[in-house]
Amino acid sequence: MATETGTARSSDVAMTSLSFAIYLRGTPRQVRAVLTDPVLVPRWLAGTQFHPDAELDPRRLSCEWLQSDHFAANGGSASVVRFEFVAMGQVTRLTVTHRDLLVDGSFLKVVSAGWPMILSSLKSLIETGKPLEFRR
């Protein structure tokens, strides 16, 4: 489920954030491994480039996203995606927060619809070994 986490102004431009939570059968270590394995990333992220920053805290992972092919989609600014892992026995609550999204930008519309699909595919990959395949 997505929630808008707030709107802020940066240099007279309104920005917003989205947050999604999902529960996965796996430990935070297993979930993090799938999120960072360069061989598996294209399988759950549908070919999008993803290069997470190294964070010392194993409960978090961040990535700056810049749509270089569609630079104007987010007003020419990068957005930031943060993954947070909470252990619940053999289940992990994964919360994804995508921030610094231009309120009226086309990128916000894309990620609002895209994250539920991406997270569903990630869940399938972790729990069954196969990502979901979406046909256009």
Side-chain angles (χ1 to χ4, degrees):
M1 172 179 255
T3 56
E4 189 169 329
T5 58
T7 302
R9 290 203 171 269
S10 172
S11 302
D12 295 329
V13 177
M15 304 299 268
T16 191
S17 299
L18 297 173
S19 186
F20 303 86
I22 190 168
Y23 295 84
L24 306 158
R25 184 175 296 125
T27 65
R29 174 179 260 158
Q30 291 167 323
V31 174
R32 186 182 178 100
V34 171
L35 285 170
T36 58
D37 186 327
V39 173
L40 295 176
V41 168
R43 296 183 70 196
W44 65 267
L45 199 50
T48 302
Q49 295 294 317
F50 177 71
H51 305 287
D53 296 333
E55 286 200 28
L56 299 177
D57 187 343
R59 297 170 298 174
R60 293 182 183 84
L61 187 65
S62 294
C63 176
E64 186 175 82
W65 236 331
L66 181 61
Q67 294 296 110
S68 56
D69 294 343
H70 306 286
F71 195 65
N74 198 44
S77 298
S79 60
V80 176
V81 177
R82 183 170 202 163
F83 298 90
E84 294 185 42
F85 313 95
V86 175
M88 302 173 74
Q90 289 300 305
V91 172
T92 297
R93 183 181 73 219
L94 174 65
T95 302
V96 178
T97 302
H98 199 152
R99 64 182 174 83
D100 300 331
L101 297 164
L102 184 63
V103 170
D104 295 326
S106 59
F107 190 52
L108 175 61
K109 293 174 186 155
V110 171
V111 298
S112 294
W115 273 115
M117 294 171 66
I118 288 169
L119 293 174
S120 294
S121 188
L122 177 66
K123 180 176 178 66
S124 181
L125 178 62
I126 289 170
E127 295 180 358
T128 71
K130 295 180 184 177
L132 300 177
E133 293 183 28
F134 296 101
R135 303 271 185 228
R136 292 183 183 186

